[in-house]
Amino acid sequence: MQDLYSRGIVETGGQAGLLSRLAAQLEGKILGLATGVVAIHERFARYIVDELGVSADSVRVVRNWTHLPDIPVGDRSETRQRLGWGQDEIIVLHSGNMGKKQGLTNVVEAAKSAHATGSPTRFVLMGDGNQRPALMQAGRGVANLSFVDSLPQDEFQAALQAADVLLVNELPGVRDMSVPSKLTSYYSTGIPVIAATDEGSVTAEELKKSCGGLRVNAGDPIALVKAAEALSRNRRQAAELGANGLRFRHETLSESTAIALYDNFITSLASSRDH
């Protein structure tokens, strides 16, 4: 059994395109020799079947489960005070790697837009990455933008829960790279998600399936600010989206669900070999 963790689907021409096609043919042959193939998302499973020619009967979807335990109810007010977040601010928190794929210049521009319009929206980038120094330089002097270093797990979870919105931000054109692992953490909080991503991307599909948040177009900082403000005004919608994400975490992204699916798949594969 082979576990396919992520698949970038890129159309290229010339020599690069030839190499890509040859790699896909080789990958299809290898996966075709396996008794069973596990993909972590429906999009990847469809690619394995439709593009690599693997029999649908041998492919199953088993999600990566969240590594975080259920978050205990904490003192959001105390956490916000400790992190320097105002109680009346709309905190939009992005956690994780600050690399090129995340396209976080969009978040800096959103913070500048919020500052220019007097919006109470504060964008927080938490974590590290090779783009962090450039982002900090680009956002120097922007009151609606702040950075937080990586935190220990308990403080990390408290920070997520103290935010008003949790953010996934992607570069325009990043459609099939991977399922953002941060979503498995976000959905553990009961806090709504905004995804700045292309329509039809894996992230957009995941958000639609979970009903845990809103999508805005990638690379549109003004839309990002407006979506955060809209959720702040509509507390009922925000609570419903957060509850949907939490339900998705328990029903789809839990360790027990994944292990049960693995168990059933392995049992079915063993039974088919006996016949």
Side-chain angles (χ1 to χ4, degrees):
M1 182 181 298
Q2 179 160 336
D3 190 354
L4 189 70
Y5 280 90
S6 65
R7 175 70 193 176
I9 306 169
V10 181
E11 294 183 3
T12 55
Q15 185 176 9
L18 175 61
L19 291 175
S20 178
R21 290 191 294 273
L22 290 174
Q25 291 175 7
L26 176 61
E27 186 177 11
K29 288 183 181 298
I30 293 173
L31 294 180
L33 295 173
T35 305
V37 179
V38 172
I40 66 165
H41 194 272
E42 290 79 3
R43 175 75 68 89
F44 304 149
R46 292 196 297 270
Y47 176 82
I48 293 168
V49 173
D50 297 340
E51 302 297 328
L52 300 185
V54 178
S55 170
D57 293 336
S58 67
V59 179
R60 292 292 185 277
V61 174
V62 180
R63 298 301 193 94
N64 285 342
W65 59 84
T66 180
H67 69 285
L68 296 178
D70 289 338
I71 297 179
V73 177
D75 188 336
R76 296 181 77 247
S77 177
E78 187 278 330
T79 299
R80 290 171 75 102
Q81 184 176 8
R82 175 167 49 82
L83 292 170
W85 303 343
Q87 301 301 325
D88 296 329
E89 289 184 306
I90 305 168
I91 301 298
V92 181
L93 174 62
H94 178 282
S95 72
N97 185 48
M98 300 182 199
K100 288 194 173 182
K101 188 184 81 171
Q102 284 71 36
L104 294 174
T105 300
N106 182 58
V107 180
V108 175
E109 292 304 313
K112 290 179 179 179
S113 175
H115 178 68
T117 59
S119 172
T121 306
R122 179 201 289 248
F123 291 89
V124 180
L125 298 178
M126 181 169 69
D128 204 355
N130 58 22
Q131 295 299 301
R132 176 166 170 161
L135 293 167
M136 294 181 71
Q137 179 62 34
R140 187 180 300 275
V142 180
N144 295 60
L145 178 69
S146 59
F147 291 80
V148 176
D149 293 337
S150 299
L151 298 172
Q153 180 172 299
D154 56 343
E155 294 180 33
F156 168 73
Q157 289 185 270
L160 293 183
Q161 199 172 45
D164 297 292
V165 174
L166 299 174
L167 175 62
V168 177
N169 194 88
E170 295 177 340
L171 275 173
V174 177
R175 294 171 58 86
D176 297 291
M177 292 296 291
S178 63
V179 183
S181 59
K182 61 173 55 65
L183 280 176
T184 64
S185 301
Y186 287 179
Y187 288 147
S188 298
T189 64
I191 303 298
V193 173
I194 292 178
T197 184
D198 289 346
E199 185 176 6
S201 68
V202 174
T203 301
E205 186 173 330
E206 187 78 346
L207 199 66
K208 184 176 180 179
K209 185 179 294 291
S210 69
C211 298
L214 304 177
R215 187 195 72 83
V216 300
N217 288 333
D220 189 340
I222 294 176
L224 183 51
V225 175
K226 288 182 177 179
E229 291 174 341
L231 280 179
S232 177
R233 289 192 300 268
N234 193 337
R235 299 296 179 89
R236 180 175 179 180
Q237 181 189 26
E240 288 178 351
L241 293 173
N244 290 340
L246 190 58
R247 186 180 307 112
F248 188 73
R249 175 255 192 266
H250 287 299
E251 295 178 355
T252 305
L253 301 178
S254 68
E255 181 178 0
S256 59
T257 296
I259 290 175
L261 290 171
Y262 271 118
D263 185 56
N264 290 338
F265 189 31
I266 293 170
T267 299
S268 68
L269 292 175
S271 298
S272 65
R273 290 173 66 91
D274 292 338
H275 292 87

